[in-house]
Short mmCIF file of all heavy atoms in Angstrom, two decimals:
data_model
loop_
_atom_site.label_atom_id
_atom_site.label_comp_id
_atom_site.label_asym_id
_atom_site.label_seq_id
_atom_site.Cartn_x
_atom_site.Cartn_y
_atom_site.Cartn_z
N GLY O 60 169.62 97.47 6.96
CA GLY O 60 168.75 98.54 6.24
C GLY O 60 169.18 98.80 4.82
O GLY O 60 168.24 98.97 3.94
N GLY O 61 170.50 98.80 4.48
CA GLY O 61 170.84 99.04 3.24
C GLY O 61 170.56 97.99 2.13
O GLY O 61 170.10 98.27 1.04
N VAL O 62 170.59 96.66 2.57
CA VAL O 62 170.18 95.64 1.78
C VAL O 62 168.65 95.70 1.56
O VAL O 62 168.27 95.49 0.47
CB VAL O 62 170.57 94.28 2.40
CG1 VAL O 62 170.03 93.11 1.48
CG2 VAL O 62 172.18 94.23 2.52
N LEU O 63 167.86 95.86 2.52
CA LEU O 63 166.48 96.05 2.44
C LEU O 63 166.06 97.15 1.48
O LEU O 63 165.27 96.91 0.60
CB LEU O 63 165.86 96.19 3.78
CG LEU O 63 165.60 94.93 4.58
CD1 LEU O 63 165.19 95.37 6.03
CD2 LEU O 63 164.57 94.04 3.92
N ALA O 64 166.77 98.25 1.67
CA ALA O 64 166.40 99.45 0.87
C ALA O 64 166.71 99.25 -0.53
O ALA O 64 165.92 99.71 -1.53
CB ALA O 64 167.08 100.73 1.43
N LEU O 65 167.92 98.61 -0.87
CA LEU O 65 168.28 98.44 -2.24
C LEU O 65 167.44 97.35 -2.89
O LEU O 65 166.97 97.56 -4.05
CB LEU O 65 169.68 97.91 -2.24
CG LEU O 65 170.77 98.80 -2.04
CD1 LEU O 65 172.19 98.13 -1.93
CD2 LEU O 65 170.93 99.96 -3.12
N ALA O 66 167.02 96.33 -2.21
CA ALA O 66 166.08 95.33 -2.76
C ALA O 66 164.77 95.95 -2.97
O ALA O 66 164.15 95.58 -3.98
CB ALA O 66 165.95 94.06 -1.75
N LEU O 67 164.31 96.65 -2.07
CA LEU O 67 162.93 97.21 -2.26
C LEU O 67 162.88 98.29 -3.47
O LEU O 67 162.08 98.25 -4.22
CB LEU O 67 162.41 97.95 -0.91
CG LEU O 67 161.90 96.89 0.15
CD1 LEU O 67 161.79 97.74 1.45
CD2 LEU O 67 160.64 96.33 -0.17
N SER O 68 163.92 99.19 -3.43
CA SER O 68 163.95 100.34 -4.41
C SER O 68 164.19 99.68 -5.77
O SER O 68 163.46 100.18 -6.80
CB SER O 68 164.90 101.44 -3.95
OG SER O 68 166.16 100.81 -4.04
N ARG O 69 165.14 98.80 -5.97
CA ARG O 69 165.52 98.47 -7.39
C ARG O 69 164.61 97.37 -7.93
O ARG O 69 164.45 97.44 -9.14
CB ARG O 69 166.94 97.82 -7.22
CG ARG O 69 168.03 98.91 -6.92
CD ARG O 69 169.45 98.32 -6.91
NE ARG O 69 170.43 99.24 -6.85
CZ ARG O 69 171.68 98.93 -6.70
NH1 ARG O 69 172.19 97.67 -6.87
NH2 ARG O 69 172.58 99.84 -6.42
N PHE O 135 157.40 102.00 -1.66
CA PHE O 135 158.71 101.94 -1.21
C PHE O 135 158.87 102.52 0.24
O PHE O 135 159.37 101.91 1.15
CB PHE O 135 159.74 102.68 -2.14
CG PHE O 135 161.10 102.85 -1.43
CD1 PHE O 135 161.86 101.73 -1.41
CD2 PHE O 135 161.60 103.96 -1.08
CE1 PHE O 135 163.29 101.85 -0.89
CE2 PHE O 135 162.87 104.13 -0.55
CZ PHE O 135 163.72 103.12 -0.48
N ILE O 139 159.75 100.26 3.70
CA ILE O 139 160.93 100.59 4.67
C ILE O 139 160.33 100.81 6.13
O ILE O 139 161.04 100.30 7.02
CB ILE O 139 161.68 101.83 4.03
CG1 ILE O 139 162.53 101.49 2.87
CG2 ILE O 139 162.50 102.33 5.20
CD1 ILE O 139 163.60 100.47 3.16
N LEU O 158 167.47 102.83 9.36
CA LEU O 158 167.29 103.99 8.54
C LEU O 158 168.62 104.63 8.05
O LEU O 158 168.79 105.11 6.86
CB LEU O 158 166.45 105.01 9.28
CG LEU O 158 164.97 104.49 9.56
CD1 LEU O 158 164.34 105.63 10.31
CD2 LEU O 158 164.19 104.23 8.16
N ASN O 159 169.59 104.76 8.92
CA ASN O 159 170.88 105.25 8.59
C ASN O 159 171.57 104.42 7.51
O ASN O 159 172.16 104.91 6.46
CB ASN O 159 171.79 105.28 9.74
CG ASN O 159 171.41 106.41 10.66
OD1 ASN O 159 170.70 107.36 10.34
ND2 ASN O 159 171.79 106.47 11.96
N SER O 160 171.47 103.07 7.62
CA SER O 160 172.07 102.14 6.66
C SER O 160 171.30 102.30 5.38
O SER O 160 171.95 102.32 4.31
CB SER O 160 171.89 100.71 7.16
OG SER O 160 172.35 99.71 6.27
N ALA O 161 170.00 102.56 5.30
CA ALA O 161 169.28 102.62 4.15
C ALA O 161 169.55 103.87 3.43
O ALA O 161 169.81 103.90 2.22
CB ALA O 161 167.67 102.49 4.48
N ALA O 162 169.70 104.97 4.26
CA ALA O 162 170.08 106.30 3.60
C ALA O 162 171.43 106.34 2.94
O ALA O 162 171.71 106.91 1.95
CB ALA O 162 169.99 107.37 4.76
N LYS O 163 172.27 105.61 3.59
CA LYS O 163 173.62 105.53 2.97
C LYS O 163 173.80 104.53 1.65
O LYS O 163 174.59 105.01 0.82
CB LYS O 163 174.72 104.85 3.95
CG LYS O 163 174.87 105.81 5.12
CD LYS O 163 175.90 105.20 6.25
CE LYS O 163 176.15 105.99 7.40
NZ LYS O 163 177.07 105.45 8.37
N ALA O 164 172.90 103.65 1.66
CA ALA O 164 172.99 102.63 0.58
C ALA O 164 172.24 103.19 -0.69
O ALA O 164 172.63 102.98 -1.88
CB ALA O 164 172.51 101.24 0.99
N VAL O 165 171.12 103.77 -0.43
CA VAL O 165 170.16 104.18 -1.63
C VAL O 165 170.59 105.62 -1.97
O VAL O 165 170.47 106.51 -1.17
CB VAL O 165 168.73 104.02 -1.14
CG1 VAL O 165 167.88 104.62 -2.28
CG2 VAL O 165 168.40 102.61 -0.89
N GLY O 166 170.81 105.79 -3.29
CA GLY O 166 171.02 107.06 -3.94
C GLY O 166 169.89 107.47 -4.83
O GLY O 166 168.87 106.74 -5.04
N GLY O 167 170.05 108.63 -5.28
CA GLY O 167 168.97 109.21 -6.36
C GLY O 167 168.99 108.28 -7.58
O GLY O 167 167.75 108.27 -8.00
N TRP O 168 169.93 107.67 -7.88
CA TRP O 168 169.89 106.75 -9.07
C TRP O 168 169.02 105.65 -8.85
O TRP O 168 168.15 105.22 -9.74
CB TRP O 168 171.33 106.31 -9.51
CG TRP O 168 171.34 105.38 -10.58
CD1 TRP O 168 171.81 104.04 -10.69
CD2 TRP O 168 170.81 105.59 -11.96
NE1 TRP O 168 171.65 103.46 -11.85
CE2 TRP O 168 171.12 104.34 -12.64
CE3 TRP O 168 170.42 106.68 -12.59
CZ2 TRP O 168 170.81 104.23 -14.10
CZ3 TRP O 168 169.88 106.46 -13.95
CH2 TRP O 168 170.24 105.21 -14.70
N ASP O 169 169.02 105.07 -7.60
CA ASP O 169 168.21 103.93 -7.40
C ASP O 169 166.75 104.31 -7.37
O ASP O 169 165.87 103.59 -7.91
CB ASP O 169 168.55 103.35 -5.95
CG ASP O 169 169.88 102.88 -5.83
OD1 ASP O 169 170.26 101.99 -6.62
OD2 ASP O 169 170.71 103.39 -5.07
N ILE O 170 166.30 105.50 -6.75
CA ILE O 170 164.97 106.00 -6.80
C ILE O 170 164.49 106.28 -8.26
O ILE O 170 163.43 105.86 -8.67
CB ILE O 170 164.84 107.22 -5.92
CG1 ILE O 170 165.20 106.95 -4.43
CG2 ILE O 170 163.44 107.70 -6.00
CD1 ILE O 170 164.42 105.82 -3.86
N ALA O 171 165.36 106.90 -8.99
CA ALA O 171 165.04 107.16 -10.36
C ALA O 171 164.84 105.89 -11.17
O ALA O 171 163.91 105.79 -11.90
CB ALA O 171 166.20 107.98 -11.02
N THR O 172 165.66 104.93 -11.13
CA THR O 172 165.47 103.72 -11.90
C THR O 172 164.23 103.05 -11.41
O THR O 172 163.45 102.27 -12.20
CB THR O 172 166.67 102.76 -11.77
OG1 THR O 172 166.99 102.51 -10.31
CG2 THR O 172 167.95 103.28 -12.43
N SER O 173 163.86 103.09 -10.14
CA SER O 173 162.66 102.45 -9.54
C SER O 173 161.49 103.10 -10.21
O SER O 173 160.52 102.39 -10.63
CB SER O 173 162.66 102.58 -8.12
OG SER O 173 161.48 101.91 -7.51
N ALA O 235 177.27 99.93 -3.57
CA ALA O 235 176.30 100.69 -2.80
C ALA O 235 176.45 100.29 -1.27
O ALA O 235 176.38 101.04 -0.39
CB ALA O 235 174.84 100.50 -3.27
N LEU O 236 176.69 98.84 -1.05
CA LEU O 236 176.67 98.48 0.31
C LEU O 236 177.99 98.74 1.15
O LEU O 236 177.98 98.69 2.21
CB LEU O 236 176.49 96.81 0.28
CG LEU O 236 175.16 96.43 0.03
CD1 LEU O 236 175.02 94.92 -0.05
CD2 LEU O 236 174.06 96.98 0.97
N GLN O 238 178.96 101.58 1.66
CA GLN O 238 178.82 102.82 2.41
C GLN O 238 178.20 102.40 3.80
O GLN O 238 178.20 103.30 4.77
CB GLN O 238 177.72 103.66 1.73
CG GLN O 238 178.21 104.18 0.34
CD GLN O 238 179.51 104.94 0.34
OE1 GLN O 238 179.74 105.71 1.10
NE2 GLN O 238 180.35 104.81 -0.64
N CYS O 239 177.49 101.35 3.84
CA CYS O 239 176.79 100.99 5.12
C CYS O 239 177.49 99.71 5.85
O CYS O 239 176.88 99.18 6.72
CB CYS O 239 175.36 100.71 4.87
SG CYS O 239 174.99 99.44 3.63
#
Side-chain angles (χ1 to χ4, degrees):
V62 175
L63 281 170
L65 288 175
L67 286 170
S68 64
R69 292 181 177 182
F135 171 71
I139 288 291
L158 296 177
N159 288 340
S160 176
K163 291 177 181 177
V165 174
W168 175 242
D169 297 305
I170 302 300
T172 54
S173 183
L236 288 179
Q238 304 297 327
C239 54

